Amino acid sequence: MALLELRDVNTYYGNVRALKDVSLKVDEGQIVTLIGANGAGKSTTLRTVSGLVRPQSGEIVFDGAPIHRMPAHRIVFQGLTQAPEGRQVFPTLTVNENLNMGAYSLGNDREAVEANRERVYRLFPRLAERKAQLGGTLSGGEQQMLSIGRALMARPKLLMLDEPSLGLAPLLVQAIFDTIRAINEQGVTILLVEQNARAALRLADYGYVLETGAIPLEGPAEALLHDERVRKAYLGEA
Ligand code: ATP
């Protein structure tokens, strides 16, 4: 069953049409990846789903309800959160306080907040060790973990990740991808935007290729890994 579906979504920045009739589906329980070059519209797709930018036309349905006219915070309440590109942690708040910021949709349910925090700390033991440290003093990899952890605090059904491997050392990239798999195994459906197409397709069930705002190619991730066009354009093969 599709947990998230975009149907013919068009998003503009002024006169620039950044998304052109984008249609895609994320089935419940899956990891779906959206790959593409710089400026292809990957972040715009996630921002449109999150309600941070409005589509000019098309429909977005999440968990059976249309969300394309919902304010961003209501979309979070529905169970859809995003870990933004470039980490964007609050530098002057501690790790614990950063996590609290992700839990506002749980209201005053302190028990639920604490249970989620424990779950995040189990996924990211390094964050637990640094819970009193200021966000701005963490390493790049730790900030990435915190950004993902914060998005998990709302206990989402669907987590969207924008370039979680960006700027990380290879060893950390693997660790982040392993954690994404662990999050998925806990029952969270994942929509993953990545420039690291090979790693993303190895992790995902299904993939979409985005080129200048449109989707020319989609398929099971395994098939895309072996697709000649994908290999040439995105996997650096001759
Ligand atoms: P990147 O990996 O570099 O973030 P991307 O695939 O996520 O690339 P987007 O950031 O979604 O691409 O950008 C899609 C297009 O929209 C690009 O042509 C970009 O220049 C344009 N664009 C993005 N944000 C804005 C904005 N706030 N105002 C105007 N144009 C924008």
Side-chain angles (χ1 to χ4, degrees):
M1 199 195 87
L3 182 59
L4 174 71
E5 186 168 0
L6 279 68
R7 297 186 197 125
D8 296 323
V9 168
N10 287 283
T11 298
Y12 286 74
Y13 294 112
N15 291 327
V16 179
R17 191 174 170 206
L19 297 186
K20 302 167 188 163
D21 294 322
V22 166
S23 294
L24 62 84
K25 263 191 208 175
V26 182
D27 281 342
E28 193 158 6
Q30 282 199 326
I31 301 179
V32 172
T33 188
L34 193 56
I35 61 172
N38 258 337
K42 303 182 301 297
S43 299
T44 301
T45 304
L46 297 195
R47 292 167 56 80
T48 304
V49 173
S50 294
L52 299 173
V53 291
R54 291 277 158 222
Q56 195 173 87
S57 62
E59 288 185 340
I60 306 176
V61 177
F62 175 68
D63 207 13
I67 58 167
H68 47 274
R69 290 195 196 89
M70 249 181 218
H73 69 276
R74 286 256 332 267
I75 295 173
V76 173
F77 278 46
Q78 301 285 314
L80 200 165
T81 61
Q82 178 176 351
E85 186 178 0
R87 297 147 199 164
Q88 297 181 21
V89 305
F90 298 103
T92 58
L93 299 185
T94 65
V95 167
N96 238 340
E97 290 165 344
N98 265 278
L99 292 181
N100 286 342
M101 299 300 277
Y104 70 90
S105 65
L106 300 177
N108 290 327
D109 189 346
R110 290 181 68 109
E111 235 168 78
V113 173
E114 286 317 312
N116 284 354
R117 197 197 312 278
E118 283 316 307
R119 190 162 143 263
V120 168
Y121 282 147
R122 270 198 302 279
L123 276 168
F124 298 109
R126 280 186 83 92
L127 292 184
E129 288 165 19
R130 287 162 172 68
K131 57 176 83 164
Q133 204 169 311
L134 296 183
T137 66
L138 300 177
S139 72
E142 289 161 356
Q143 290 191 18
Q144 186 59 67
M145 293 172 198
L146 183 53
S147 162
I148 297 173
R150 192 179 55 196
L152 283 173
M153 285 298 288
R155 189 109 209 177
K157 293 179 194 145
L158 179 82
L159 172 67
M160 300 197 294
L161 298 159
D162 195 351
E163 303 268 6
S165 76
L166 195 73
L168 299 186
L171 214 61
L172 269 177
V173 171
Q174 192 50 52
I176 287 283
F177 276 85
D178 288 347
T179 306
I180 295 169
R181 188 185 295 281
I183 292 167
N184 177 247
E185 282 169 356
Q186 291 180 2
V188 182
T189 304
I190 308 268
L191 177 56
L192 168 69
V193 155
E194 262 295 337
Q195 277 197 53
N196 187 343
R198 189 186 309 273
L201 288 171
R202 281 189 179 144
L203 181 70
D205 299 292
Y206 199 86
Y208 292 88
V209 176
L210 197 60
E211 272 174 18
T212 55
I215 295 178
L217 193 62
E218 63 171 271
E222 179 70 25
L224 290 182
L225 267 177
H226 297 103
D227 184 280
E228 203 176 327
R229 289 163 291 177
V230 173
R231 292 169 75 112
K232 276 192 185 145
Y234 300 104
L235 303 180
E237 296 178 15

